Amino acid sequence: MALFDLPDFDDHEQVVYCSDDASGLKAIIAVHSTKLGAAVGGCRMWDYASDEEALIDVLRLSKGMTYKNAMAGLKMGGGKSVIIGDAKTLKSEALFKAFGEALNGLNGRYFSAEDVNITTSDIAIANTVTPFVTGTEGKSGNPAPFTALGTFLGIKASVKHKFNRDDLTGLKVAVQGLGSVGYLLCEHLHNAGVELVITDINQSTLDNAANEFNAKVVGLDEIYDQDVDIYAPCALGATINDQTLPRIKASIIAGCANNQLAEQRHDQALLQRGILYAPDYVINAGGIINVSFENNYDMEKSRQKVSNIYDTLLDIYVKADIQNRPTGIIADEMAREIIKNGGK
Ligand SMILES: NC(=O)c1ccc[n+]([C@@H]2O[C@H](COP(=O)([O-])OP(=O)(O)OC[C@H]3O[C@@H](n4cnc5c(N)ncnc54)[C@H](O)[C@@H]3O)[C@@H](O)[C@H]2O)c1
């Protein structure tokens, strides 16, 4: 595989492969850009089908962090890491200490945090051997509640733009994935009077959510066929693709998952179908915004900054309408401009 020729490589500053035989650690750390500051982005643990799949995932996620941090007005660069393996069987104290040592190798060019299958306890173990982690308990803590809040506000901005209304009462939202963020998003939506349709691979989470939010449960694949106003992808990426796109009846796609579009061209396809797409790294920036307050934590300031996601999305939507171009491309252009101007 020619790494430098991969479309997802996209000029990464550094890609580091880490392994530790004793703990079974196999990880990839990708630093896309440190132009605005040290790279910051979470660590994902996943049982990838191949090392190549893990590499593509970390490269796409890492680049997304560069754009996310720039658009959120943070003086942070973009990076991400993945630990390859089954989180149910491979997690151990030794594994996260080895991961922490791997972070030490980058000497502060990259700070890691929670992402899929990585908890604050895992990060706390890494933190015993490295200072290069963030989102730690006792400081900014778990980013998920802030990601959920930002996503909820992003859904409100999307509804304002698409339907010209401020309240969500009676709207139908299909939520795919009820993990750390998706579950809390459901809580916000339920409290706002939304009718929820939900799916997840975890039956007990589904049962809890169905009870708590009076939600309709559908099968994993059925989620794309639902007659809803909004589809909120909150599991893994690439769920908007050639197979699912023709099935989606929602007028808005707005969820917290990273890398929702299988390919950039699906952004144009969404525009043609009249579906308003909330660019993933803009709507899901609440967690990283909260993490940016790590060393001087102030929850109220954090919530205020997270609420800017509403206006940022409206700004993107207006520009996209005027130019009749996809929202994702508009967001990318805005992010690149911010990076070019040193964060302004
Ligand atoms: N945690 C954060 O603060 C944060 C911030 C920004 C973006 N994100 C992104 O949001 C998404 C969710 O993150 P999370 O922290 O809630 O992760 P999580 O691991 O807590 O939750 C993911 C959920 O999706 C479910 N799931 C997995 N595959 C599924 C499938 N095929 N169909 C339906 N459900 C499925 C899992 O069972 C789990 O409940 C990820 O894409 C993540 O990268 C998270």
Side-chain angles (χ1 to χ4, degrees):
M1 180 184 32
L3 174 61
F4 294 110
D5 296 335
L6 286 175
D8 294 307
F9 182 70
D10 192 63
D11 234 3
H12 264 73
E13 288 180 13
Q14 199 173 7
V15 180
V16 180
Y17 293 79
C18 326
S19 73
D20 173 63
D21 244 9
S23 63
L25 177 76
K26 272 174 68 183
I28 311 176
I29 301 173
V31 176
H32 180 249
S33 168
T34 55
K35 288 199 177 74
L36 296 186
V40 185
C43 175
R44 173 177 291 190
M45 187 161 185
W46 197 253
D47 201 6
Y48 292 98
S50 66
D51 295 351
E52 188 175 355
E53 194 188 295
L55 174 66
I56 302 294
D57 202 31
V58 77
L59 291 176
R60 294 193 72 193
L61 289 164
S62 163
K63 177 181 171 185
M65 287 311 300
T66 299
Y67 286 32
K68 183 188 307 201
N69 293 341
M71 281 298 269
L74 307 176
K75 291 284 185 284
M76 305 189 319
K80 200 92 181 182
S81 48
V82 294
I83 296 179
I84 301 168
D86 188 344
K88 288 196 194 81
T89 53
L90 193 68
K91 276 193 180 184
S92 68
E93 192 170 333
L95 183 94
F96 288 103
K97 283 189 169 166
F99 179 63
E101 293 294 356
L103 295 175
N104 283 337
L106 279 104
N107 201 24
R109 282 175 58 75
Y110 165 69
F111 284 72
S112 195
E114 299 82 1
D115 192 60
V116 175
N117 284 327
I118 298 289
T119 63
T120 43
S121 325
D122 302 328
I123 292 299
I125 297 170
N127 200 191
T128 60
V129 300
T130 182
F132 305 125
V133 288
T134 185
T136 55
E137 216 53 90
K139 291 187 177 175
S140 71
N142 183 4
F146 296 85
T147 308
L149 173 66
T151 306
F152 173 66
L153 296 173
I155 287 176
K156 289 191 82 168
S158 308
V159 164
K160 176 74 178 170
H161 186 78
K162 189 78 183 171
F163 304 136
N164 193 24
R165 50 183 280 191
D166 292 310
D167 72 304
L168 305 184
T169 318
L171 289 176
K172 290 192 181 128
V173 182
V175 181
Q176 177 185 43
L178 305 173
S180 319
V181 182
Y183 202 96
L184 296 174
L185 174 65
C186 285
E187 194 171 275
H188 283 293
L189 292 169
H190 176 67
N191 292 340
V194 161
E195 286 180 41
L196 288 165
V197 181
I198 55 174
T199 194
D200 197 290
I201 51 177
N202 183 329
Q203 190 58 44
S204 66
T205 309
L206 268 184
D207 293 343
N208 290 343
N211 273 332
E212 198 174 339
F213 311 128
N214 194 23
K216 176 182 158 194
V217 175
V218 297
L220 290 178
D221 191 53
E222 286 169 355
I223 196 80
Y224 303 108
D225 303 312
Q226 299 305 307
D227 202 355
V228 291
D229 303 290
I230 299 158
Y231 161 52
C234 297
L236 295 181
T239 62
I240 299 155
N241 53 48
D242 290 339
Q243 282 71 46
T244 58
L245 235 167
R247 295 164 58 187
I248 293 172
K249 298 189 185 81
S251 315
I252 294 170
I253 296 180
C256 72
N258 279 309
N259 296 334
Q260 294 169 22
L261 306 179
E263 294 172 48
Q264 180 81 61
R265 66 184 168 84
H266 292 116
D267 203 0
Q268 181 66 35
L270 288 170
L271 176 66
Q272 275 159 0
R273 288 175 61 89
I275 299 174
L276 182 66
Y277 166 61
D280 44 18
Y281 62 79
V282 180
I283 191 168
N284 72 15
I288 198 73
I289 291 171
N290 190 59
V291 158
S292 75
F293 288 91
E294 175 86 354
N295 291 324
N296 209 353
Y297 194 63
D298 183 330
M299 190 187 286
E300 201 34 53
K301 279 191 184 153
S302 171
R303 291 175 73 91
Q304 269 169 28
K305 201 163 171 72
V306 171
S307 69
N308 291 344
I309 290 173
Y310 184 97
D311 288 332
T312 306
L313 279 172
L314 285 185
D315 192 19
I316 292 167
Y317 294 157
V318 169
K319 286 191 169 93
D321 276 0
I322 292 169
Q323 300 177 31
N324 192 28
R325 292 170 68 225
T327 51
I329 289 178
I330 298 289
D332 285 359
E333 287 174 0
M334 287 167 71
R336 281 195 287 267
E337 191 64 18
I338 292 168
I339 295 163
K340 201 175 93 191
N341 294 334
K344 290 174 204 99

